[in-house]
Amino acid sequence: MIRRILFNLFAWSIILAVAFPLFWMVVTSVKPQFELFRRPPTILPETWTFEHYIRLLTTTDFLIYFKNSVILSLSTTLVVILIATIGAYSLVRFRYRGRESLAFLVLFTYLLPSVVLIIPLYLMLVQLGLSNTIFSLVIAYTTFALPYALWLLRSFMAGIPEDLESAALVDGASRLGAFVDVILPQLLPGIISTALFTFILSWNEYLYALVLVNSDSARPLTTGVMNMLVSAFNIEWSLLMAASVMMSVPLIIVFAFLQSYLTRGFGAGGVKG
């Protein structure tokens, strides 16, 4: 009993330590500006206010940045999942020379630091006339999200029994029909968990967005909010916390709806075929 109580106390201490910055972010976003620097600080605001959220949505370009991030993250996720699903199927189901070497080469590209690819990507996008656009960020995000997604889906694909597909082929289904009717339903938890990872990665990315995009019409939230609120020495902390809360809402909603698929996906990825 004592061991169980100590374990619970230890677990709750870790949870509170992790959750407290999120709690403080939400509380700060609804505090008036004059309460932020009060000594000693107050845990809960004495006067609750939503003026920071109203200012954020009406007097700044936050909604433009929000729209750009949604378009960017969804586009990157769709491109990565489409290519990774087909690539994983090729690496697992087809036999050809250099297949394993290709798989490890893909993983090696994921291990490269992001900063190594910035200059080549920037020069390539300038030559193609795609610089300073949302599409340029989709291309850039795909370069570092695709290798990991492909390797992850390869593990999920390997856990699907090949006999199921063989039975469909024997019954007269085409290769494409067997892939759509047999493989994709079995692969769905892996696809959803990989899509969730890719979406979060694209939503939170900062370095590529900072270097490749300089126009407010194409900035995502990560660089747009910092450029909007930290452009001078005086930082409006309440407004920044309100923006941080608004940036976290889509991720919380997506994760809440897809949590069960994510758990099942990780379990399926641990099975070797």
Side-chain angles (χ1 to χ4, degrees):
M1 179 65 69
I2 294 177
R3 182 183 303 175
R4 186 174 182 179
I5 293 174
L6 291 176
F7 177 78
N8 289 335
L9 289 175
F10 177 72
W12 277 106
S13 299
I14 295 177
I15 292 173
L16 291 176
V18 172
F20 183 76
L22 302 177
F23 167 79
W24 193 255
M25 177 180 71
V26 175
V27 168
T28 304
S29 69
V30 294
K31 279 185 178 181
Q33 191 73 18
F34 64 86
E35 284 193 34
L36 297 184
F37 305 102
R38 179 174 293 177
R39 294 291 182 271
T42 56
I43 300 298
L44 296 176
E46 295 181 0
T47 304
W48 295 75
T49 179
F50 294 96
E51 62 174 334
H52 308 300
Y53 290 95
I54 297 174
R55 284 183 55 202
L56 184 70
L57 299 176
T58 58
T59 64
T60 68
D61 293 330
F62 180 84
L63 291 178
I64 296 176
Y65 303 145
F66 189 91
K67 180 193 70 175
N68 293 339
S69 285
V70 171
I71 295 174
L72 174 60
S73 300
L74 289 178
S75 301
T76 303
T77 301
L78 289 175
V79 171
V80 168
I81 291 301
L82 178 62
I83 299 176
T85 302
I86 298 174
Y89 183 75
S90 170
L91 291 175
V92 173
R93 289 293 187 258
F94 296 110
R95 304 290 186 266
Y96 49 87
R97 187 174 182 180
R99 183 185 60 163
E100 293 298 325
S101 299
L102 179 61
F104 282 103
L105 181 62
V106 169
L107 182 62
F108 175 76
T109 59
Y110 179 75
L111 301 178
L112 292 175
S114 299
V115 70
V116 174
L117 301 175
I118 287 182
I119 295 180
L121 272 174
Y122 179 77
L123 294 177
M124 181 189 72
L125 292 171
V126 169
Q127 292 294 327
L128 294 175
L130 299 175
S131 61
N132 216 21
T133 62
I134 296 179
F135 186 65
S136 67
L137 291 180
V138 174
I139 296 175
Y141 289 6
T142 301
T143 59
F144 63 79
L146 180 59
Y148 183 78
L150 179 59
W151 188 265
L152 191 61
L153 283 178
R154 177 177 178 267
S155 299
F156 291 129
M157 190 78 71
I160 300 175
E162 194 170 354
D163 294 341
L164 296 176
E165 187 179 7
S166 300
L169 294 175
V170 170
D171 289 340
S174 63
R175 174 69 70 172
L176 179 61
F179 175 75
V180 173
D181 296 333
V182 177
I183 298 299
L184 284 184
Q186 298 291 322
L187 193 62
L188 185 60
I191 291 176
I192 293 178
S193 58
T194 306
L196 181 59
F197 162 80
T198 306
F199 183 87
I200 293 174
L201 196 66
S202 303
W203 187 268
N204 293 328
E205 205 284 327
Y206 179 81
L207 182 61
Y208 283 88
L210 179 66
V211 174
L212 298 179
V213 172
N214 298 317
S215 171
D216 282 340
S217 61
R219 289 183 194 274
L221 279 171
T222 49
T223 57
V225 168
M226 296 302 294
N227 184 70
M228 177 178 63
L229 300 178
V230 195
S231 57
F233 291 104
N234 183 26
I235 302 175
E236 297 189 58
W237 290 107
S238 294
L239 204 60
L240 182 60
M241 293 300 103
S244 300
V245 172
M246 294 292 291
M247 291 171 63
S248 304
V249 168
L251 297 182
I252 295 173
I253 293 175
V254 170
F255 189 82
F257 280 101
L258 301 181
Q259 182 181 6
S260 60
Y261 287 100
L262 183 65
T263 306
R264 287 162 51 193
F266 283 138
V271 179
K272 284 196 67 174

